[in-house]
Amino acid sequence: MIHLESVTRDNIEELIELSVREDQQSFVSTVAESLAQAYVYSENAYPFAVYEDDILVGFIMMGYYEVKQYYTLWKFLIDYRYQNKGYGRQALVLGLEYIKEKFNPPDIYTGVVPGNTVAKDLYKSVGFEDTGLIECGMEEMKLKYHMTIKIN
């Protein structure tokens, strides 16, 4: 069963070893880069290891973007060895539910690198919609929380 766990000294080394396929590397930050940002923005970053039972399969980080005063899906990846098994969608839903339960924001945002159709389709599958804004080289997407997260 997919679940999220805190980043700890017990799993950090294994987390840093996670990677995506070579053709996906321009779309996502490494876990090491993401954890460095989580450290610097520790008051507003919520990083998690993604596990399938006791096997580490990915990384997700939610956050609060102070400049725009909204919550975001900030970083997300499933290791190349575990892609196409449905883990990404399940982990995404868990990350969104974490933000909803903890902060109850009206919406949550994310950015997608143009050309990353796999991520964009995944985000749309749970209810994200394009806002039409492109900022910092990312296409902005928004999930309105008055809508239900699409679980199936």
Side-chain angles (χ1 to χ4, degrees):
M1 174 178 222
I2 290 292
H3 62 280
L4 305 182
E5 291 188 17
S6 297
V7 176
T8 67
R9 64 179 80 168
D10 294 329
N11 63 14
I12 192 166
E13 294 297 327
E14 191 178 9
L15 271 164
I16 290 171
E17 295 298 317
L18 294 174
S19 64
V20 294
R21 296 188 324 256
E22 190 172 328
D23 64 310
Q24 298 170 320
Q25 291 175 359
S26 63
F27 296 140
V28 297
S29 303
T30 66
V31 174
E33 292 167 330
S34 298
L35 290 174
Q37 289 177 319
Y39 176 79
V40 171
Y41 297 100
S42 62
E43 293 177 7
N44 296 323
Y46 317 103
F48 295 98
V50 178
Y51 284 88
E52 165 61 15
D53 293 325
D54 62 348
I55 299 169
L56 179 65
V57 300
F59 175 79
I60 189 168
M61 187 162 80
M62 313 302 285
Y64 181 72
Y65 187 32
E66 287 182 332
V67 173
K68 291 198 170 189
Q69 298 184 341
Y70 60 54
Y71 287 90
T72 66
L73 166 62
W74 192 358
K75 307 289 183 179
F76 187 43
L77 70 84
I78 298 297
D79 186 87
Y80 71 95
R81 295 168 291 178
Y82 303 104
Q83 293 180 5
N84 301 309
K85 298 179 185 291
Y87 299 158
R89 192 168 197 291
Q90 292 174 61
L92 176 59
V93 168
L94 290 174
L96 296 171
E97 288 175 346
Y98 168 84
I99 290 296
K100 185 173 184 176
E101 289 171 14
K102 187 164 175 106
F103 303 104
N104 196 31
D107 355 88
I108 191 164
Y109 291 79
T110 195
V112 180
V113 174
N116 190 352
T117 56
V118 172
K120 197 166 191 176
D121 289 346
L122 173 63
Y123 301 154
K124 284 182 176 182
S125 79
V126 297
F128 277 93
E129 298 176 351
D130 292 306
T131 66
L133 181 66
I134 297 177
E135 188 174 67
C136 301
M138 305 283 276
E139 297 176 16
E140 184 182 80
M141 298 182 79
K142 175 180 175 179
L143 174 67
K144 296 178 183 174
Y145 265 134
H146 69 271
M147 300 171 61
T148 304
I149 297 169
K150 298 177 187 174
I151 295 174
N152 291 326

